[in-house]
């Protein structure tokens, strides 16, 4: 079975982009050429790897299994090439809308001191695993648990919640708020599958008057800053996003949000365990 790296890269790109058009642009090749490459791969593997029944392509169960192996193979090749060139491949840390909050900068500094020969790159990726299952990152910071048995999930700390208000809102002057204080507000939520705020956060008798969905964290901040809604978010959001039009006020009476480090059980970078261990130590020592 003569499977080449170009076949693996084609499948990984299709899984990441969800369309032939996007994947072809990602790989800088024509759409017909990419379609031929995918057909060749499926013929040589002897299985359908991509479901074509909808405009948005999806991996079949066989494709999901093959994709996981392809990501690991490509990562191993990249590692080997980097080592041969005496330049290790960067370790990639992904997040959806907030990294490790107040611990992010201490972790990056500690990594640079401990492993100066291995760059650590931080990427924001707007999907449920911050690009981890698509092979875009090696480790992810998440605040919801991904339902994927191929991933190892570890709670690294818990984060308090904050109310996010327009800068001129009367409640923005309060030292702290509780859920009942938001009864007359419209609550903005982010519809990415990774939200930590939902109507179920409120008891029925104090539930806000309305909820509105936004598509990403940028839309969410813009809506709040313009006075169209308020939001509830883990404290890490304030450390990752500095928006001048909003104020963050501590929210009391609610459980904190667990923050997870997530990485593949089949490592995509050999330095992943070092990053996980260093993150544990940095969090245990508190922000510096």
């Amino acid at each position: 079975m003569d499977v080449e790296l170009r076949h693996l890269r084609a499948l990984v790109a299709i899984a990441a982009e969800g369309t032939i058009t996007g994947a072809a642009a990602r790989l800088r090749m024509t759409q017909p050429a990419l379609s031929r490459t995918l057909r060749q791969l499926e013929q040589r593997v002897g299985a359908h790897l991509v479901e074509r029944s909808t405009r948005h392509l999806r991996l079949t169960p066989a494709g999901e299994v093959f994709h996981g192996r392809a990501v690991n193979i490509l990562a191993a090749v990249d590692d080997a090439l980097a080592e041969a060139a005496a330049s290790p491949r960067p370790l990639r840390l992904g997040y959806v809308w907030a990294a490790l909050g107040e611990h992010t900068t201490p972790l990056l500094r500690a990594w640079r001191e401990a492993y100066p020969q291995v760059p650590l790159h931080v990427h924001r990726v707007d999907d449920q695993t911050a690009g981890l299952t698509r092979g875009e990152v090696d480790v992810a910071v998440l605040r919801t648990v991904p339902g994927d048995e191929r991933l190892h999930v570890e709670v690294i700390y818990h984060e308090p919640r904050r109310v996010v208000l327009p800068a001129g809102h009367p409640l923005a002057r309060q030292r702290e708020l509780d859920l009942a204080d938001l009864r007359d507000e419209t609550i903005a939520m982010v519809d990415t599958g990774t939200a930590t705020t939902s109507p179920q956060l409120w008891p029925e008798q104090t539930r806000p008057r309305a909820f509105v969905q936004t598509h990403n964290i940028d839309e969410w901040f813009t809506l709040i800053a313009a006075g169209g809604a308020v939001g509830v978010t883990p404290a890490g959001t304030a450390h990752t996003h500095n928006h001048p039009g909003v104020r963050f006020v501590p929210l009391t009476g609610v459980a904190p949000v667990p923050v997870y480090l997530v990485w593949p059980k089949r490592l995509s970078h050999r330095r992943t365990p070092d990053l996980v261990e260093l993150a544990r130590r940095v969090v245990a020592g508190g922000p510096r």
Side-chain angles (χ1 to χ4, degrees):
M1 182 168 53
D2 187 16
V3 174
E4 304 172 18
L5 291 180
R6 63 186 179 90
H7 296 120
L8 305 185
R9 297 192 192 281
L11 183 67
V12 170
I14 290 170
E17 299 295 334
T19 65
I20 290 292
T21 301
R26 181 188 181 112
L27 295 173
R28 298 181 180 180
M29 61 191 303
T30 66
Q31 295 178 42
L34 178 58
S35 296
R36 286 195 301 271
T37 302
L38 175 60
R39 286 197 300 271
Q40 290 173 0
L41 175 61
E42 291 181 321
Q43 290 169 358
R44 296 176 189 190
V45 171
H48 290 295
L49 303 177
V50 177
E51 175 59 59
R52 302 170 177 82
S53 61
T54 63
R55 293 178 62 184
H56 188 85
L57 303 181
R58 295 182 301 175
L59 297 182
T60 65
E64 291 283 0
V65 173
F66 194 88
H67 173 265
R69 299 296 179 90
V71 167
N72 290 330
I73 291 169
L74 292 173
V77 171
D78 288 342
D79 285 343
L81 292 174
E83 289 178 4
S87 177
R89 177 174 72 80
L91 178 59
R92 303 161 300 174
L93 176 65
Y95 68 95
V96 179
W97 39 264
L100 285 173
E102 61 188 358
H103 305 289
T104 303
T105 298
L107 175 62
L108 297 178
R109 289 174 176 168
W111 180 267
R112 186 173 298 173
E113 293 173 2
Y115 303 98
Q117 74 282 9
V118 182
L120 176 59
H121 292 176
V122 181
H123 302 275
R124 173 181 152 193
V125 184
D126 288 332
D127 80 356
Q128 292 187 358
T129 64
L132 193 61
T133 56
R134 302 192 322 205
E136 297 182 17
V137 300
D138 304 296
V139 185
V141 179
L142 303 176
R143 286 164 177 79
T144 54
V145 178
D148 193 323
E149 295 182 354
R150 298 171 298 175
L151 303 178
H152 183 89
V153 180
E154 177 179 323
V155 177
I156 192 165
Y157 70 101
H158 289 78
E159 234 171 22
R161 300 179 194 252
R162 300 285 186 261
V163 180
V164 188
L165 300 139
H169 196 289
L171 293 178
R173 297 191 294 269
Q174 299 297 314
R175 296 186 62 180
E176 60 183 31
L177 297 167
D178 61 33
L179 291 174
D181 293 322
L182 307 179
R183 186 179 320 184
D184 297 326
E185 304 294 335
T186 295
I187 306 298
M189 299 186 297
V190 182
D191 184 19
T192 62
T194 61
T196 57
T197 300
S198 72
Q200 285 67 44
L201 183 64
W202 281 263
E204 187 65 36
Q205 63 274 19
T206 62
R207 191 158 291 179
R209 64 180 180 183
F211 294 86
V212 60
Q213 294 282 359
T214 60
H215 294 98
N216 55 57
I217 191 69
D218 301 307
E219 287 186 12
W220 185 80
F221 267 117
T222 299
L223 178 63
I224 294 173
V230 305
V232 174
T233 188
T237 305
H239 293 276
T240 305
H241 303 272
N242 183 17
H243 198 294
V246 304
R247 297 290 182 271
F248 292 86
V249 179
L251 180 64
T252 63
V254 291
V257 176
V259 179
Y260 305 95
L261 275 185
V262 184
W263 62 95
K265 292 178 179 178
R266 295 176 63 91
L267 300 182
S268 59
H269 197 293
R270 63 187 182 89
R271 288 294 189 182
T272 294
D274 298 318
L275 178 61
V276 172
E277 179 56 32
L278 186 59
R280 292 178 186 135
R281 296 206 306 266
V282 167
V283 169
R288 294 179 287 172

